[in-house]
Amino acid sequence: MEEIEPQFTPEQPARDESSRQEALAFIWGTLKVVIISLAIIIPVRYFLVQPFFVNGASMEETFDDGDYILIDEITYRFQEPKRGEVVVFRFPQDTTQFFIKRIVGLPGETVEIKNDTVIIYDQENPEGLILDESIYLTPEQHSFGNLRIKLDPEEYFVMGDNRLQSSDSRRWGPVNRSLITGRVFLRAWPVDKFGLTIK
C-alpha cells in the first residue's frame, strides 16, 4: 500500500502577518486622523476661536451665568473694536482674570455718565451724543454713576448690560486695547439659546 505524506502549507504564518499589517494600517490611519485634527484644532483654539463660560450676572439679560460662549480672536487683528460689541478682555487690575463687557466708549472720546444716561463727546459730537442703548438694555436697567472721563488713544470704556450689578469702567477705569482678547460671536450653551451673537 502506497503511503502518502501529509502536505503542510504556511497558511497560519501568512494569516498572522496579514493581521499584523491590518492592525498597523489601522493604527497609522487613526494616528493620521488625530494628527490632522490637532493640526486644525490647535491653531483654531489658540489663534482664531476661544471658548469661555460666563461667570456672574453682569451681562444679564444678554448673557447669563453659565452660558458657554465662543470669541472671535482674528477680527481685531484687521479692524478696531466697535461701539456696542461685546468683548472678552483681561482685567486691568489682574490680567490672569477674564471679563466680559460691552464697549461703550472708543479711543479719544470723552464719556460722561449722568442722569441715568451715557453721553459721548467726540469730533463729530462736540456738544455730546446721548447713546441709545435700548437695543441691549432692558427697561429696568439704570446707568448709575456720575463721572466724566477722557479716553486715551488706546483705551475703551466698557460696561455690563446689567448696570445694577456690573463692576466695569465706572469703577476701575478704561481697558487698554492690548488687553482685549476678542469679541463674542457665538453662544454654544444652553442649547435653546444657541446661535450667533453678532448682528
Side-chain angles (χ1 to χ4, degrees):
M1 187 173 183
E2 186 178 352
E3 293 184 1
I4 300 175
E5 295 184 1
Q7 300 294 314
F8 294 99
T9 58
E11 288 184 4
Q12 190 60 40
R15 285 178 184 167
D16 289 346
E17 182 62 28
S18 176
S19 298
R20 192 177 300 114
Q21 288 178 353
E22 288 177 6
L24 288 173
F26 175 77
I27 292 171
W28 174 237
T30 303
L31 280 175
K32 284 196 291 188
V33 170
V34 170
I35 291 169
I36 292 170
S37 298
L38 289 176
I40 295 170
I41 292 170
I42 290 176
V44 168
R45 167 64 178 81
Y46 287 99
F47 300 106
L48 302 178
V49 175
Q50 192 168 166
F52 286 94
F53 276 106
V54 176
N55 184 14
S58 73
M59 283 300 293
E60 292 178 351
E61 297 178 353
T62 306
F63 296 102
D64 296 319
D65 182 43
D67 281 1
Y68 187 68
I69 58 174
L70 297 180
I71 66 167
D72 159 23
E73 296 184 296
I74 192 77
T75 297
Y76 290 160
R77 298 180 190 182
F78 302 101
Q79 69 182 44
E80 294 304 311
K82 299 176 182 177
R83 190 187 335 275
E85 292 181 331
V86 178
V87 295
V88 170
F89 57 91
R90 293 183 181 274
F91 181 40
Q93 297 180 357
D94 180 0
T95 56
T96 64
Q97 295 186 51
F98 289 91
F99 275 27
I100 176 173
K101 305 291 176 189
R102 188 180 298 276
I103 294 177
V104 175
L106 301 176
E109 295 180 339
T110 295
V111 178
E112 182 177 25
I113 299 177
K114 69 176 183 179
N115 300 328
D116 201 25
T117 58
V118 178
I119 307 168
I120 301 296
Y121 299 88
D122 55 20
Q123 290 183 346
E124 296 179 0
N125 304 282
E127 301 300 316
L129 170 70
I130 297 177
L131 286 187
D132 178 9
E133 300 186 282
S134 60
I135 299 172
Y136 47 82
L137 291 186
T138 57
E140 61 270 16
Q141 289 298 327
H142 299 280
S143 300
F144 289 134
N146 186 14
L147 63 83
R148 184 182 175 109
I149 182 172
K150 169 72 173 174
L151 301 176
D152 288 342
E154 293 291 316
E155 290 182 336
Y156 293 81
F157 195 91
V158 298
M159 298 173 73
D161 288 355
N162 186 355
R163 300 283 163 86
L164 303 176
Q165 297 186 43
S166 175
S167 172
D168 49 41
S169 289
R170 292 173 294 176
R171 177 175 297 178
W172 34 258
V175 175
N176 190 277
R177 173 71 173 81
S178 63
L179 297 177
I180 298 177
T181 304
R183 62 177 182 170
V184 180
F185 79 96
L186 178 75
R187 183 189 347 242
W189 184 266
V191 174
D192 60 333
K193 293 183 178 179
F194 178 90
L196 295 174
T197 59
I198 295 176
K199 306 300 182 186

